[in-house]
Amino acid sequence: MKRFLYIFCAGVVALCACSRGPEGSDPRVEKLLRKMTLEEKVGQTVLFTSDWSVTGPSMREGYIDDIRQGRCGNIFNAYTAEYTRKLQEIAVNETRLGIPLLFGYDVIHGFRTIFPINLGMACTWDPEALERSAQVAAHEAAAAGLHWTYSPMCDICVEPRWGRVSEGAGEDPFLGSVVAAALTRGYQGEDLADERTLLACIKHYAAYGAPQAGRDYNTVDMSERWLREFYLPPYKAAVDAGALSVMASFNELDGVPATANKHLMQEILRDEWGFKGFVVTDYTGINEMVCHGFAADEKDAGRLAMNAGIDMDMQSASFFNYMVDLVRSGAVKESTLDEAVRRVLNVKAALGLFDDPFKYCSPEREAAETLTEANKQEARLTAARSCVLLKNEGVLPLRKGARTAVIGALADSKDDLLGSWRGAGEVQSVPASILEAIREVTPAVYAEGCKEMGDDRSGFGSALAAARGAEQIVMVLGEDCQWTGEAACRSDIHIPGVQSELLEKIAALGKPLVVVLLNGRPLDLSAESVTAGALLEAWYPGTMGGYAVADLLFGDVNPSGKLCITFPRNLGQVPIYHYAKNTGRPYVHPEAKYESRYLDVPNEPLYAFGHGLSYTTFSYSDITLSADSFSADGSIEATVTLTNTGQREGEETVQLYIRDLVGSVTRPVKQLKGFRKVNLGPGESTEVSFSIDKETLSFYRADMSFGPESGDFKLFIGGSSDKVKEASFSYEE
Ligand code: BGC
């Protein structure tokens, strides 16, 4: 039967020259569509999870029979070359048309070799590194039979309470777009049919990162302007980079769940952006429209979803149970279903599955390409570059050979290094915890002190004793990794439990003390930023994270990460982000009452977007502009001289921000418009230039057209959004 399929495909190819489908559709797909029964068509719009791992509230028994009957054309949460081959054989050899299955999985920050969580990855501000990480993930996952990853997660977020802030690229649409495009390129490579690539899935479309009160799955509402300006750019960037699938988000937007939102799925995604792939729901998103109060029952929900432009139902079984009826009754046109099937099958064709349905499952490649030394080395370097040195009062780098106390439950945890959504990453593959990695460099005494959570202080005594006997102290504090990610929101963003209390006691000893943070969201570090001599934000740094942290602590690697999200002084400042407007009453007079301010906390965050220290220092010259004005067909260059003023080699991320002083709608005080990473030896200088043209100045104007407006602008360049040089120019349409 397998052979038959190849012959069949070859036959179709021969026929295709004369069979004309809709524009761009693979002729083999058109041929299939003509042969398929209604049930077979619906089968291609159905996606069920295997029983290998379950990533949502429900699991359907009997998915293997569904595959055999041609009623389920896509599977997620099944992997390994052996298992995917077994399921693929059923689809190819035992169903009437032998249409191959599509295998999906959440390969979010690595498959077997786990990279830092995505929030950390974005702090590298390094598209090449991001692309390489996605490439490594694709090589490993595709060898295990997978075709499709549910990444990149493109949800801009200014909400630290939301557990899923850890999965995105932070708060900025420009940086978020660079990250989304880099990951897409990394997964999909040059050619989707290459068996070492994965189909990317843009999620969660749209604005899932803006839930009210920071509670997962909660209502989202905002103006169309803010949606387009602030939230949509990363999704669009991934579409432009060629991603061929999109996942609808769970949330409603303007009262309509994304899963049935024609404005999002049809008007913006397909009509405006020209997206040619297929749209899948997020898990039981279709059925959830009943709870949203948008659909009367699950059948109605299926109708609404398909008619709004959803092509594939993940797990809710609404299409599976009701779509045949819905088409027969005329509630869904058969042509609408055909279009969904066509989109899914065309992606299968693009993946090369009609040429060889087994090309991805390869035990040989799986053995040869998984957790290789090269992959682990890449993960180690990237992990070190994702860490952000928030504060350093001369404590770091630590002295090798000095007696060191290591304190905190997280110091000795390999599991937490992997973070949430760790794909098929296993704790056994983590070679060293932070403690173990430190011990390879220097003699270290360990005391747990306390757990991440709870109020047990019984370990405080031994932690203090360990600290007293040491010359330098490393405390590893933060959140249990299961306190971040999906359905892991918090109403309090302090370091949990009694960890900070222990820190205060240890700090009182007055010894060199560094706090390493493992966490998946901006935390309120107001107290810790005072008590600790140094603060290193390490997120959840992945398989090689223990070594990466030790590399930084002892100065083998110089920190270079920069925050992709603002750290507030307290939760009351949230949402706080650099892309803010000036307001009609900006706070400028220290004693003023009627200005936009708090009485009990400054307006400024604790650590600004773009902040991140190094073991060297950099100085910025004033900005030189090639001209002080330009017009529509021109541009200007803004240049600074960057100098490494410290004692060692280091990498700086030079950031460009713009402010449009007067607009037909108000503009943010600082809008990130570019950045460059520059490596300089001690004493070295270089010029860094940015070109500014009308694209740089474009935005959604009062009439919602996208373009620039004449007027005066400010331009800022610096190493952090709050430490910049300034210049002015004007633009004439
Ligand atoms: C999550 C998605 C994920 C999907 C499949 C959902 O619960 O929201 O991000 O891709 O499960 O595992």
Side-chain angles (χ1 to χ4, degrees), residues 54-57 76-77 105-106 108 150-151 153 164 167 203-204 208 217 247 250 281-283 314 421 486:
V54 178
T55 49
F76 70 120
N77 292 336
Y105 192 56
D106 291 282
I108 306 296
Y150 303 138
S151 176
M153 195 271 216
R164 305 198 79 171
E167 295 173 49
K203 74 184 189 185
H204 306 82
Y208 180 43
Y217 319 123
M247 187 184 290
F250 286 124
T281 64
D282 192 0
Y283 226 83
M314 180 196 288
W421 288 114
E486 186 173 357

